[in-house]
Short mmCIF file of all heavy atoms in Angstrom, two decimals:
data_model
loop_
_atom_site.label_atom_id
_atom_site.label_comp_id
_atom_site.label_asym_id
_atom_site.label_seq_id
_atom_site.Cartn_x
_atom_site.Cartn_y
_atom_site.Cartn_z
N ASP A 1 13.58 6.43 -0.98
CA ASP A 1 12.66 6.69 -2.09
C ASP A 1 11.73 7.86 -1.77
O ASP A 1 11.42 8.68 -2.66
CB ASP A 1 11.84 5.44 -2.40
CG ASP A 1 12.69 4.30 -2.89
OD1 ASP A 1 13.37 4.46 -3.93
OD2 ASP A 1 12.69 3.24 -2.25
N LEU A 2 11.30 7.96 -0.52
CA LEU A 2 10.42 9.07 -0.13
C LEU A 2 11.18 10.39 -0.10
O LEU A 2 10.64 11.44 -0.49
CB LEU A 2 9.80 8.78 1.23
CG LEU A 2 8.87 7.56 1.30
CD1 LEU A 2 8.20 7.47 2.66
CD2 LEU A 2 7.82 7.59 0.20
N LEU A 3 12.41 10.36 0.37
CA LEU A 3 13.22 11.58 0.35
C LEU A 3 13.43 12.05 -1.08
O LEU A 3 13.34 13.25 -1.37
CB LEU A 3 14.57 11.31 1.02
CG LEU A 3 14.55 11.10 2.54
CD1 LEU A 3 15.92 10.64 3.03
CD2 LEU A 3 14.14 12.39 3.25
N ALA A 4 13.68 11.10 -1.98
CA ALA A 4 13.88 11.46 -3.39
C ALA A 4 12.61 12.02 -4.00
O ALA A 4 12.66 12.83 -4.96
CB ALA A 4 14.35 10.24 -4.18
N ALA A 5 11.44 11.63 -3.44
CA ALA A 5 10.17 12.13 -3.96
C ALA A 5 9.77 13.46 -3.32
O ALA A 5 8.68 13.97 -3.60
CB ALA A 5 9.08 11.09 -3.72
N GLY A 6 10.60 13.99 -2.43
CA GLY A 6 10.35 15.30 -1.87
C GLY A 6 9.78 15.33 -0.47
O GLY A 6 9.46 16.40 0.06
N ILE A 7 9.64 14.17 0.21
CA ILE A 7 9.16 14.16 1.59
C ILE A 7 10.29 14.58 2.52
O ILE A 7 11.42 14.08 2.41
CB ILE A 7 8.63 12.77 1.99
CG1 ILE A 7 7.52 12.33 1.02
CG2 ILE A 7 8.12 12.77 3.42
CD1 ILE A 7 6.31 13.23 1.02
N THR A 8 10.00 15.48 3.44
CA THR A 8 11.02 15.99 4.34
C THR A 8 11.42 14.92 5.35
O THR A 8 10.57 14.17 5.86
CB THR A 8 10.49 17.22 5.10
OG1 THR A 8 10.06 18.19 4.14
CG2 THR A 8 11.57 17.83 5.99
N THR A 9 12.72 14.87 5.66
CA THR A 9 13.19 13.89 6.62
C THR A 9 12.54 14.11 7.98
O THR A 9 12.22 15.23 8.35
CB THR A 9 14.73 13.96 6.76
OG1 THR A 9 15.16 12.89 7.60
CG2 THR A 9 15.18 15.27 7.37
N GLY A 10 12.31 13.02 8.72
CA GLY A 10 11.67 13.12 10.02
C GLY A 10 10.68 11.99 10.23
O GLY A 10 10.62 11.03 9.44
N PRO A 11 9.86 12.08 11.29
CA PRO A 11 8.92 10.99 11.62
C PRO A 11 7.95 10.67 10.50
O PRO A 11 7.44 9.55 10.41
CB PRO A 11 8.17 11.53 12.85
CG PRO A 11 9.10 12.55 13.44
CD PRO A 11 9.81 13.17 12.29
N GLU A 12 7.67 11.65 9.64
CA GLU A 12 6.69 11.43 8.56
C GLU A 12 7.14 10.33 7.62
O GLU A 12 6.29 9.63 7.03
CB GLU A 12 6.46 12.74 7.80
CG GLU A 12 5.30 12.63 6.81
CD GLU A 12 5.00 13.94 6.11
OE1 GLU A 12 5.61 14.98 6.49
OE2 GLU A 12 4.16 13.93 5.20
N ILE A 13 8.44 10.17 7.46
CA ILE A 13 8.95 9.10 6.59
C ILE A 13 8.45 7.75 7.08
O ILE A 13 7.90 6.95 6.34
CB ILE A 13 10.49 9.12 6.55
CG1 ILE A 13 11.01 10.40 5.90
CG2 ILE A 13 11.01 7.88 5.81
CD1 ILE A 13 10.80 10.48 4.42
N GLY A 14 8.65 7.48 8.38
CA GLY A 14 8.23 6.21 8.95
C GLY A 14 6.73 6.03 8.90
O GLY A 14 6.23 4.92 8.66
N GLN A 15 5.98 7.12 9.14
CA GLN A 15 4.53 7.04 9.11
C GLN A 15 4.02 6.67 7.73
O GLN A 15 3.11 5.83 7.58
CB GLN A 15 3.93 8.37 9.56
CG GLN A 15 4.20 8.70 11.02
CD GLN A 15 3.87 10.13 11.37
OE1 GLN A 15 3.44 10.92 10.50
NE2 GLN A 15 4.07 10.50 12.63
N ARG A 16 4.61 7.26 6.70
CA ARG A 16 4.16 6.97 5.34
C ARG A 16 4.53 5.54 4.92
O ARG A 16 3.75 4.86 4.25
CB ARG A 16 4.77 7.98 4.36
CG ARG A 16 4.17 9.38 4.50
CD ARG A 16 4.82 10.37 3.55
NE ARG A 16 4.21 11.70 3.68
CZ ARG A 16 3.12 12.10 3.02
NH1 ARG A 16 2.52 11.27 2.18
NH2 ARG A 16 2.65 13.31 3.19
N LEU A 17 5.72 5.07 5.34
CA LEU A 17 6.09 3.69 5.05
C LEU A 17 5.15 2.72 5.76
O LEU A 17 4.78 1.67 5.21
CB LEU A 17 7.53 3.43 5.48
CG LEU A 17 8.63 4.09 4.65
CD1 LEU A 17 9.99 3.87 5.30
CD2 LEU A 17 8.63 3.58 3.22
N SER A 18 4.73 3.08 6.97
CA SER A 18 3.80 2.23 7.72
C SER A 18 2.46 2.13 7.01
O SER A 18 1.84 1.06 6.95
CB SER A 18 3.62 2.78 9.13
OG SER A 18 2.71 1.99 9.86
N VAL A 19 1.98 3.27 6.46
CA VAL A 19 0.71 3.27 5.71
C VAL A 19 0.83 2.33 4.50
O VAL A 19 -0.07 1.53 4.23
CB VAL A 19 0.35 4.69 5.28
CG1 VAL A 19 -0.79 4.65 4.25
CG2 VAL A 19 -0.07 5.52 6.47
N ALA A 20 1.95 2.42 3.79
CA ALA A 20 2.12 1.59 2.60
C ALA A 20 2.18 0.11 2.98
O ALA A 20 1.59 -0.74 2.30
CB ALA A 20 3.40 1.99 1.87
N LEU A 21 2.86 -0.20 4.08
CA LEU A 21 2.95 -1.60 4.51
C LEU A 21 1.58 -2.13 4.92
O LEU A 21 1.22 -3.27 4.59
CB LEU A 21 3.94 -1.73 5.67
CG LEU A 21 4.11 -3.14 6.24
CD1 LEU A 21 4.61 -4.10 5.16
CD2 LEU A 21 5.06 -3.14 7.44
N THR A 22 0.81 -1.30 5.64
CA THR A 22 -0.53 -1.72 6.06
C THR A 22 -1.39 -2.07 4.84
O THR A 22 -2.07 -3.10 4.81
CB THR A 22 -1.20 -0.62 6.88
OG1 THR A 22 -0.47 -0.46 8.10
CG2 THR A 22 -2.64 -0.97 7.20
N ARG A 23 -1.36 -1.21 3.86
CA ARG A 23 -2.17 -1.45 2.66
C ARG A 23 -1.68 -2.69 1.89
O ARG A 23 -2.47 -3.43 1.32
CB ARG A 23 -2.16 -0.22 1.78
CG ARG A 23 -2.85 0.99 2.42
CD ARG A 23 -2.98 2.15 1.46
NE ARG A 23 -3.82 1.79 0.32
CZ ARG A 23 -3.98 2.55 -0.77
NH1 ARG A 23 -3.36 3.73 -0.83
NH2 ARG A 23 -4.74 2.16 -1.76
N LYS A 24 -0.36 -2.89 1.88
CA LYS A 24 0.17 -4.08 1.21
C LYS A 24 -0.27 -5.35 1.93
O LYS A 24 -0.67 -6.33 1.31
CB LYS A 24 1.70 -4.00 1.14
CG LYS A 24 2.34 -5.18 0.41
CD LYS A 24 3.83 -4.96 0.19
CE LYS A 24 4.43 -6.10 -0.63
NZ LYS A 24 5.85 -5.86 -0.97
N LEU A 25 -0.18 -5.34 3.27
CA LEU A 25 -0.60 -6.50 4.06
C LEU A 25 -2.07 -6.82 3.84
O LEU A 25 -2.45 -8.00 3.78
CB LEU A 25 -0.34 -6.23 5.54
CG LEU A 25 1.12 -6.24 6.00
CD1 LEU A 25 1.25 -5.58 7.37
CD2 LEU A 25 1.66 -7.67 6.06
N ASP A 26 -2.88 -5.80 3.73
CA ASP A 26 -4.33 -6.01 3.59
C ASP A 26 -4.76 -6.23 2.15
O ASP A 26 -5.96 -6.28 1.84
CB ASP A 26 -5.07 -4.80 4.18
CG ASP A 26 -4.94 -4.74 5.69
OD1 ASP A 26 -4.61 -5.77 6.30
OD2 ASP A 26 -5.14 -3.65 6.26
N GLY A 27 -3.80 -6.37 1.23
CA GLY A 27 -4.10 -6.70 -0.15
C GLY A 27 -4.70 -5.56 -0.96
O GLY A 27 -5.38 -5.81 -1.96
N GLU A 28 -4.43 -4.33 -0.55
CA GLU A 28 -5.02 -3.17 -1.24
C GLU A 28 -4.12 -2.62 -2.33
O GLU A 28 -4.52 -1.67 -3.03
CB GLU A 28 -5.31 -2.07 -0.22
CG GLU A 28 -6.34 -2.47 0.84
CD GLU A 28 -6.54 -1.40 1.89
OE1 GLU A 28 -5.91 -0.32 1.76
OE2 GLU A 28 -7.31 -1.63 2.84
N LEU A 29 -2.92 -3.15 -2.48
CA LEU A 29 -1.98 -2.61 -3.46
C LEU A 29 -1.67 -3.64 -4.53
O LEU A 29 -1.64 -4.84 -4.29
CB LEU A 29 -0.66 -2.22 -2.78
CG LEU A 29 -0.70 -1.16 -1.67
CD1 LEU A 29 0.71 -0.87 -1.19
CD2 LEU A 29 -1.37 0.11 -2.16
N GLU A 30 -1.42 -3.12 -5.74
CA GLU A 30 -0.87 -3.97 -6.77
C GLU A 30 0.59 -4.26 -6.43
O GLU A 30 1.20 -3.55 -5.64
CB GLU A 30 -0.97 -3.27 -8.13
CG GLU A 30 -2.40 -2.98 -8.58
CD GLU A 30 -2.42 -2.22 -9.90
OE1 GLU A 30 -1.31 -1.89 -10.41
OE2 GLU A 30 -3.51 -1.93 -10.40
N ASP A 31 1.14 -5.27 -7.05
CA ASP A 31 2.54 -5.60 -6.80
C ASP A 31 3.45 -4.53 -7.38
O ASP A 31 3.13 -3.90 -8.39
CB ASP A 31 2.88 -6.96 -7.42
CG ASP A 31 2.19 -8.11 -6.72
OD1 ASP A 31 1.81 -7.94 -5.54
OD2 ASP A 31 2.04 -9.18 -7.35
N GLY A 32 4.59 -4.35 -6.71
CA GLY A 32 5.62 -3.50 -7.29
C GLY A 32 5.89 -2.22 -6.52
O GLY A 32 5.08 -1.75 -5.72
N ARG A 33 7.04 -1.64 -6.80
CA ARG A 33 7.49 -0.43 -6.13
C ARG A 33 6.59 0.76 -6.42
O ARG A 33 6.35 1.60 -5.53
CB ARG A 33 8.91 -0.09 -6.58
CG ARG A 33 9.97 -1.08 -6.14
CD ARG A 33 11.32 -0.80 -6.80
NE ARG A 33 11.70 0.59 -6.62
CZ ARG A 33 12.33 1.08 -5.54
NH1 ARG A 33 12.64 0.23 -4.55
NH2 ARG A 33 12.64 2.34 -5.44
N ASP A 34 6.09 0.89 -7.64
CA ASP A 34 5.30 2.07 -8.00
C ASP A 34 4.04 2.17 -7.15
O ASP A 34 3.69 3.25 -6.66
CB ASP A 34 4.93 2.04 -9.49
CG ASP A 34 6.14 2.23 -10.39
OD1 ASP A 34 7.19 2.71 -9.87
OD2 ASP A 34 6.04 1.91 -11.59
N ALA A 35 3.35 1.03 -6.95
CA ALA A 35 2.13 1.04 -6.16
C ALA A 35 2.45 1.37 -4.70
O ALA A 35 1.70 2.11 -4.04
CB ALA A 35 1.43 -0.32 -6.25
N GLU A 36 3.55 0.85 -4.19
CA GLU A 36 3.94 1.16 -2.82
C GLU A 36 4.27 2.63 -2.66
O GLU A 36 3.89 3.26 -1.67
CB GLU A 36 5.15 0.30 -2.42
CG GLU A 36 4.84 -1.18 -2.30
CD GLU A 36 6.07 -2.03 -1.96
OE1 GLU A 36 7.13 -1.42 -1.70
OE2 GLU A 36 5.95 -3.27 -1.97
N LEU A 37 4.98 3.18 -3.61
CA LEU A 37 5.36 4.59 -3.52
C LEU A 37 4.13 5.48 -3.57
O LEU A 37 4.02 6.47 -2.82
CB LEU A 37 6.36 4.94 -4.63
CG LEU A 37 6.95 6.34 -4.59
CD1 LEU A 37 7.65 6.60 -3.26
CD2 LEU A 37 7.89 6.56 -5.77
N ARG A 38 3.19 5.17 -4.46
CA ARG A 38 1.96 5.98 -4.53
C ARG A 38 1.22 5.92 -3.20
O ARG A 38 0.73 6.95 -2.71
CB ARG A 38 1.06 5.45 -5.66
CG ARG A 38 1.53 5.84 -7.06
CD ARG A 38 0.42 5.62 -8.07
NE ARG A 38 -0.05 4.23 -8.12
CZ ARG A 38 0.51 3.30 -8.88
NH1 ARG A 38 1.54 3.59 -9.64
NH2 ARG A 38 0.03 2.06 -8.87
N ALA A 39 1.14 4.73 -2.59
CA ALA A 39 0.43 4.60 -1.33
C ALA A 39 1.12 5.42 -0.23
O ALA A 39 0.46 6.06 0.59
CB ALA A 39 0.37 3.13 -0.90
N ALA A 40 2.45 5.43 -0.23
CA ALA A 40 3.18 6.18 0.79
C ALA A 40 3.01 7.70 0.58
O ALA A 40 2.94 8.45 1.55
CB ALA A 40 4.66 5.81 0.73
N LEU A 41 2.93 8.11 -0.67
CA LEU A 41 2.79 9.54 -0.95
C LEU A 41 1.36 10.07 -0.74
O LEU A 41 1.17 11.25 -0.56
CB LEU A 41 3.26 9.84 -2.38
CG LEU A 41 4.75 9.60 -2.65
CD1 LEU A 41 5.07 9.80 -4.13
CD2 LEU A 41 5.61 10.51 -1.79
N GLU A 42 0.40 9.16 -0.78
CA GLU A 42 -0.99 9.60 -0.63
C GLU A 42 -1.33 10.02 0.77
O GLU A 42 -2.29 10.77 0.98
CB GLU A 42 -1.92 8.46 -1.09
CG GLU A 42 -1.96 8.29 -2.59
CD GLU A 42 -2.72 7.05 -3.02
OE1 GLU A 42 -3.25 6.35 -2.11
OE2 GLU A 42 -2.78 6.76 -4.22
#
């Protein structure tokens, strides 16, 4: 999903997914793919 959104392949992919997971675990995201994708892209 991140590659499709224009993020270059490499370590940054994992870092952005980690940010999204952290925010999801801490209850900072609404449910659903769109909120996760926005968090990863931010």
